Amino acid sequence: MAYSDSYRASLKKIAVIGNHLPRQCGIATFTADLLTALGDEEGAGECWAVVMNDTPEGYAYPPRVRFELNQKSLSDYRLAADFLNMSQVDAVCLQHEFGIFGGEQGAYVIELLGALRMPVVTTLHTVLQEPLPEQLTVMKRIGQISDRLVVMSRRAERILGEVYGIPRGKVAMIHHGIPDVPFVDPNFYKDQFGVEGRKVLLTFGLLSPGKGIETMIDALPRIVKENPEAVYVVLGATHPHVRRDQGEGYRHSLQRRASELGVADHLIFHNRFVDLNELCEFLGAADIYVTPYLNQEQIVSGTLAYALGAGKATVSTPYWYAEEMLAEGRGRLFPFQDAEALATEINDLLAREVERHAIRKRAYTFCRKMIWKEVARRYLELFTEVKQERECKPRAVFRTKTLEIVPREIPQPKLDHLIRLTDDVGIIQHAKFIVPNRYHGYCTDDNARALIAVLMAQDLVPDEDALTNLACTYMSFLHHAFDENRGRFRNFMGYDRKWLEKEGSQDSHGRALWGLGEAVGLARSEDILGAAHELFEKALPAALDFDAPRAWAFTLVGIHAYLRKYGGDRCVRRVREQLADRLFAFYCSYATDDWPWIEETVTYANGKISQALLMSGQWLQRGDMVSAGLRSLEWLRTIQTDSRGHFVPIGNRGWYPRAGLKARFDQQPIEAQAMIDACREAYHVTSDPKWIAAAQCCLEWFLGRNDLNAPLYDYQTGGCRDGLSATGPNRNQGAESTLAWLLSLSTLYRMRNAQVSVEAAEQAEKLKEKKVRVA
């Protein structure tokens, strides 16, 4: 029985995972069109969507969107998998693009796919020839989980085999779908757009700098000189993410460019996102379609597919998809950013009407197999194929995953209390219960940590505008705290905005450098990055005069973050080498077999010492330094773990002197946070999952797995209580403890992302070894 007959009986429910209109992006349009086409096929069963939200409020979706998830919430991906499994879906079709999923390079989607019980068909909207290591591992894991990978070009097929090692039999070629429109004379639609009697050149799609519109505008003077009646129409709203970050700056720059070149009256912008019917009418009115894109590695273009399907004579740069689609006389190519060549091609087509219409006809004829009806049938055949393959395999008995298998749930970051503690100056140090206590004012320590916390939250909290505003507040405080004459940070400021000292401690200066270095590495705003970079350079020299090992450690962690961005900065690298040598020498002078520590007493922020040794040792290629970091961290983990397995940080009422007794209380949140940071670095160095387990244990201390079984994290406020005493948690929720919690939580999310990548790489390597043995 042919698949085209069998799917009518075998497919009852199909779910498509991706974005969906009215969200404005190419994936949303594709998902909506695919679902419509699938639903139009008789016997295709229920067809609905699971969608990613990039804003807290989501979108006004149609009823066929059955499940929404916050793309930055890892727990939502597991809930989506549960929903799909419980709904007894026959097949899932994932629309994959790295940027629409949470986690590092979209790693969160692996949590969803790995938990599904039904066949998975993944449509790849991006296939990179030279992926980043994280992109490579994520894509390989998706390839392993998916029953089929759908690509929309032959080049993508080759890349999947050559770069990602995906077996050829696992890849299916299905063209990008297009609407079924008649082959019409462009003059039929021109009057309704006010361009009757003109030669219409068209580009459509969400507007962003990568579209290369400026090349077309630069070509207009030559085009208009030979064709005075020519008009260039740019149809489409500015991409929402570009508009959020840059407003309409790109569009305005294009308009200025056209005015300066004297072709403003030959350029029309339609700044809106049009529906399918109106888009088809705009396409119908075009004489020539232009795609002057700048990125050669673009593996598919829905706009180009739509234009060719409407029978448009097309001129394009030679990006990969265009090279393939415009072959055999279906269009013209010109070199990237070559306005002269573009003008030549367009003028030639406008002058040679017979040739232009021949190109149109070849394109239209070629694309008949790409209409959505045919594409939907091909997808349904593929869904049936993978479903039948699954049914022929031995079926595993489904059992709900226990807590031993499923990673422990951790809360989503909640910034309510952080915002409550923050005013227009910075973050207030202390609180009476949850009420900000103005009496103690502000400090540089907390504002530096707050800067890191909000920048780390960028991948976890949807409201990026709020995060940017908070980051600017904390950055402003650090800028004001720095005394240019002394080259040092002040630390304590009263609520009256008066500094309470001329110079802060070495530790506070080190924490400020830590915050600034992380800001350089994490900031997505060029302006915040620039402010942090300038202040970091001014403040760093003072660290060479310090003699406090924790100040060295804080500075080294900040240097490490800075060098992730600007690894070639030799001055900063020299400072790292000097401070790392001092810290390691300090360790060597005190450490013994039974006391592998840097001083006679274990006090505060202890994990930062181990973290700094691990970071510096790795990048300086100092095995002895890395060993010291691991040895000290393992020791800290041992002495701070109760016999029942929970974390017990050294108490600050007496600390832990050599040959003395450990203070059990008061236990402080910064100790758990420093240990989690160090465990993350140990995992990065060793890939040993025990460090993820150790970090999880420290995080659970906040959640109630501690000496008193009392949670310090407040789910209602998003804040953290100030410590654990013998009589219970300190009810005050100050800045230091709340920031320790937020930093700990963000770090654990990052560790889980890294674990996904490592597991994907390991599984890919095992698969490779298996193939070698078989061969």
Side-chain angles (χ1 to χ4, degrees):
M1 180 168 56
Y3 290 124
S4 57
D5 297 323
S6 65
Y7 69 69
R8 290 182 169 83
S10 62
L11 297 171
K12 296 181 177 61
K13 291 183 183 178
I14 300 166
V16 180
I17 303 173
N19 297 338
H20 196 286
L21 299 174
R23 180 171 174 176
Q24 295 180 6
C25 74
I27 303 290
T29 300
F30 185 95
T31 302
D33 289 344
L34 177 59
L35 279 170
T36 297
L38 291 172
D40 288 343
E41 282 296 294
E42 183 183 351
E46 294 181 34
C47 300
W48 40 266
V50 172
V51 299
M52 311 292 130
N53 283 334
D54 62 343
T55 62
E57 63 276 10
Y59 298 89
Y61 294 115
R64 67 183 178 194
V65 172
R66 291 281 303 279
F67 193 93
E68 303 174 47
L69 56 89
N70 174 356
Q71 68 183 48
K72 294 185 177 183
S73 172
L74 183 60
S75 60
D76 278 14
Y77 289 80
R78 300 193 190 102
L79 291 173
D82 289 343
F83 178 79
L84 289 165
N85 287 333
M86 297 300 178
S87 299
Q88 297 184 321
V89 171
D90 291 300
V92 161
C93 186
L94 172 74
Q95 306 307 306
H96 183 264
E97 163 64 54
F98 290 106
I100 71 171
F101 303 109
E104 191 168 7
Q105 299 300 335
Y108 284 0
V109 75
I110 294 175
E111 289 281 334
L112 193 164
L113 296 182
L116 294 177
R117 304 203 306 269
M118 71 291 295
V120 175
V121 172
T122 297
T123 303
L124 301 177
H125 293 261
T126 295
V127 181
L128 300 173
Q129 177 81 49
E130 297 179 357
L132 297 172
E134 297 82 5
Q135 292 170 332
L136 180 65
T137 52
V138 168
M139 183 61 77
K140 283 185 174 181
R141 183 67 180 127
I142 290 173
Q144 293 163 3
I145 297 172
S146 302
D147 294 79
R148 291 290 189 281
L149 296 175
V150 173
V151 295
M152 293 176 262
S153 70
R154 295 300 177 188
R155 181 185 284 268
E157 284 183 301
R158 296 196 299 272
I159 293 174
L160 285 180
E162 295 168 2
V163 178
Y164 300 91
I166 305 295
R168 178 64 188 84
K170 208 170 192 180
V171 181
M173 165 69 185
I174 303 178
H175 280 289
H176 193 295
I178 59 172
D180 189 3
V181 298
F183 188 77
V184 298
D185 187 324
N187 294 312
F188 182 80
Y189 286 108
K190 288 183 180 180
D191 59 334
Q192 72 186 67
F193 297 116
V195 291
E196 191 171 11
R198 306 193 73 172
K199 295 178 178 178
V200 178
L201 316 173
L202 175 68
T203 296
F204 83 87
L206 292 171
L207 197 64
S208 64
K211 297 298 175 69
I213 307 298
E214 58 271 24
T215 305
M216 180 58 199
I217 293 175
D218 289 345
L220 268 181
R222 271 199 61 195
I223 295 169
V224 169
K225 185 177 180 180
E226 293 188 23
N227 297 276
E229 70 279 24
V231 61
Y232 180 40
V233 177
V234 180
L235 172 63
T238 299
H239 194 290
H241 292 171
V242 174
R243 188 170 60 246
R244 180 193 62 206
D245 297 336
Q246 305 170 21
E248 294 290 349
Y250 179 59
R251 186 184 300 275
H252 295 160
S253 72
L254 297 175
Q255 293 169 350
R256 289 193 301 271
R257 197 179 196 122
S259 296
E260 292 165 1
L261 292 173
V263 291
D265 57 343
H266 296 270
L267 180 61
I268 299 173
F269 279 98
H270 288 284
N271 184 10
R272 53 200 176 89
F273 191 82
V274 297
D275 63 24
L276 180 60
N277 290 334
E278 190 175 6
L279 172 59
C280 290
E281 292 174 353
F282 267 104
L283 279 169
D287 293 286
I288 295 177
Y289 185 74
V290 185
T291 55
Y293 298 168
L294 304 179
N295 179 18
Q296 183 186 24
E297 294 193 8
Q298 186 160 338
I299 205 70
V300 67
S301 167
T303 60
L304 179 59
Y306 275 40
L308 293 175
K312 296 295 103 179
T314 300
V315 180
S316 174
T317 48
Y319 57 92
W320 290 342
Y321 189 65
E323 282 184 320
E324 193 166 309
M325 294 297 291
L326 300 184
E328 300 178 0
R330 293 188 292 270
R332 300 277 187 89
L333 298 174
F334 72 96
F336 291 101
Q337 297 180 293
D338 190 337
E340 289 292 313
L342 173 56
T344 297
E345 294 293 348
I346 289 176
N347 283 334
D348 184 62
L349 285 175
L350 291 176
R352 301 171 60 191
E353 187 171 0
V354 173
E355 171 63 11
R356 187 170 77 250
H357 288 302
I359 290 174
R360 291 183 60 215
K361 189 63 179 288
R362 285 192 289 268
Y364 186 81
T365 302
F366 177 80
C367 290
R368 291 311 83 206
K369 59 190 174 185
M370 295 170 56
I371 62 173
W372 275 113
K373 185 177 184 66
E374 297 300 324
V375 168
R377 287 177 176 175
R378 182 67 186 96
Y379 269 100
L380 289 169
E381 290 171 359
L382 192 59
F383 298 155
T384 303
E385 185 178 329
V386 296
K387 185 173 183 289
Q388 291 178 349
E389 288 177 2
R390 284 283 188 102
E391 289 171 350
C392 292
K393 296 177 182 177
R395 181 173 295 181
V397 177
F398 170 67
R399 291 187 176 90
T400 301
K401 292 182 178 179
T402 66
L403 289 176
E404 290 301 315
I405 299 173
V406 178
R408 292 185 181 92
E409 292 288 340
I410 57 178
Q412 191 71 9
K414 184 176 183 179
L415 302 184
D416 296 32
H417 192 57
L418 177 74
I419 293 170
R420 180 183 295 117
L421 290 172
T422 301
D423 61 16
D424 62 331
V425 175
I427 189 167
I428 293 172
Q429 283 191 79
H430 296 294
K432 284 289 187 182
F433 299 93
I434 66 169
V435 180
N437 186 348
R438 300 176 180 180
Y439 181 80
H440 295 283
Y442 317 85
C443 70
T444 294
D445 284 328
D446 289 337
N447 280 275
R449 285 183 284 229
L451 178 62
I452 302 170
V454 296
L455 292 176
M456 287 186 73
Q458 291 174 125
D459 290 329
L460 300 169
V461 176
D463 194 349
E464 291 193 21
D465 289 342
L467 295 176
T468 298
N469 290 335
L470 288 167
C472 286
T473 298
Y474 306 136
M475 188 67 232
S476 178
F477 187 96
L478 294 180
H479 185 268
H480 185 49
F482 187 67
D483 184 335
E484 299 237 9
N485 294 324
R486 294 174 178 268
R488 290 289 301 275
F489 286 97
R490 292 162 289 202
N491 192 20
F492 296 109
M493 173 191 276
Y495 188 71
D496 59 1
R497 300 192 181 193
K498 293 181 180 178
W499 290 105
L500 304 179
E501 59 193 355
K502 293 182 178 179
E503 188 175 286
S505 67
Q506 292 184 17
D507 277 10
S508 68
H509 193 103
R511 285 194 183 95
L513 286 169
W514 172 30
L516 293 168
E518 292 286 2
V520 169
L522 295 171
R524 294 174 182 171
S525 162
E526 291 293 327
D527 298 308
I528 294 175
L529 188 156
H533 181 275
E534 180 180 316
L535 192 52
F536 182 87
E537 285 193 329
K538 291 179 180 178
L540 184 60
L544 290 172
D545 297 326
F546 292 167
D547 56 14
R550 282 169 182 76
W552 298 336
F554 289 128
T555 302
L556 285 167
V557 175
I559 285 174
H560 182 82
Y562 172 92
L563 290 174
R564 286 202 308 265
K565 188 82 172 183
Y566 298 114
D569 192 327
R570 292 175 58 82
C571 291
V572 176
R573 286 161 58 183
R574 281 194 292 270
V575 175
R576 174 177 63 184
E577 189 168 358
Q578 292 182 54
L579 295 183
D581 283 342
R582 292 181 197 176
L583 185 61
F584 182 60
F586 219 77
Y587 172 85
C588 292
S589 66
Y590 279 97
T592 61
D593 289 342
D594 61 346
W595 188 263
W597 195 235
I598 62 164
E599 50 200 0
E600 292 296 313
T601 303
V602 182
T603 56
Y604 64 94
N606 300 301
K608 271 286 174 283
I609 302 296
S610 302
Q611 181 188 8
L613 288 170
L614 286 166
M615 283 180 165
S616 303
Q618 184 184 16
W619 291 102
L620 293 172
Q621 297 184 342
R622 290 279 302 274
D624 53 352
M625 206 175 282
V626 171
S627 296
L630 290 172
R631 183 181 172 208
S632 60
L633 182 59
E634 181 61 54
W635 182 70
L636 286 173
R637 187 178 72 87
T638 300
I639 65 172
Q640 296 183 108
T641 300
D642 184 80
S643 59
R644 292 166 292 175
H646 64 262
F647 180 61
V648 184
I650 301 296
N652 68 4
R653 290 197 175 186
W655 305 115
Y656 181 24
R658 192 199 289 251
L661 296 175
K662 286 182 290 185
R664 194 78 176 193
F665 299 100
D666 289 343
Q667 299 172 17
Q668 298 296 302
I670 59 167
E671 301 308 319
Q673 184 252 315
M675 283 295 291
I676 288 171
D677 281 352
C679 288
R680 178 190 177 194
E681 194 56 33
Y683 178 70
H684 179 72
V685 170
T686 66
S687 297
D688 190 335
K690 80 173 184 181
W691 294 114
I692 293 182
Q696 178 77 37
C697 182
C698 294
L699 191 82
E700 289 172 359
W701 175 84
F702 288 98
L703 301 175
R705 191 182 172 207
N706 51 45
D707 280 341
L708 302 183
N709 294 318
L712 282 86
Y713 172 59
D714 186 334
Y715 282 87
Q716 184 174 5
T717 68
C720 179
R721 297 174 178 91
D722 278 351
L724 192 66
S725 69
T727 57
N730 182 330
R731 298 276 307 277
N732 298 329
Q733 296 180 23
E736 181 182 275
S737 55
T738 295
L739 291 166
W741 159 254
L742 289 171
L743 290 168
S744 298
L745 186 61
S746 294
T747 298
L748 203 69
Y749 270 108
R750 286 172 175 252
M751 291 182 76
R752 289 189 172 183
N753 285 346
Q755 186 179 28
V756 167
S757 293
V758 168
E759 288 176 350
E762 288 174 348
Q763 291 185 22
E765 192 61 33
K766 288 177 181 177
L767 184 64
K768 183 178 178 181
E769 291 174 359
K770 182 178 179 181
K771 288 180 180 177
V772 170
R773 288 196 298 270
V774 171

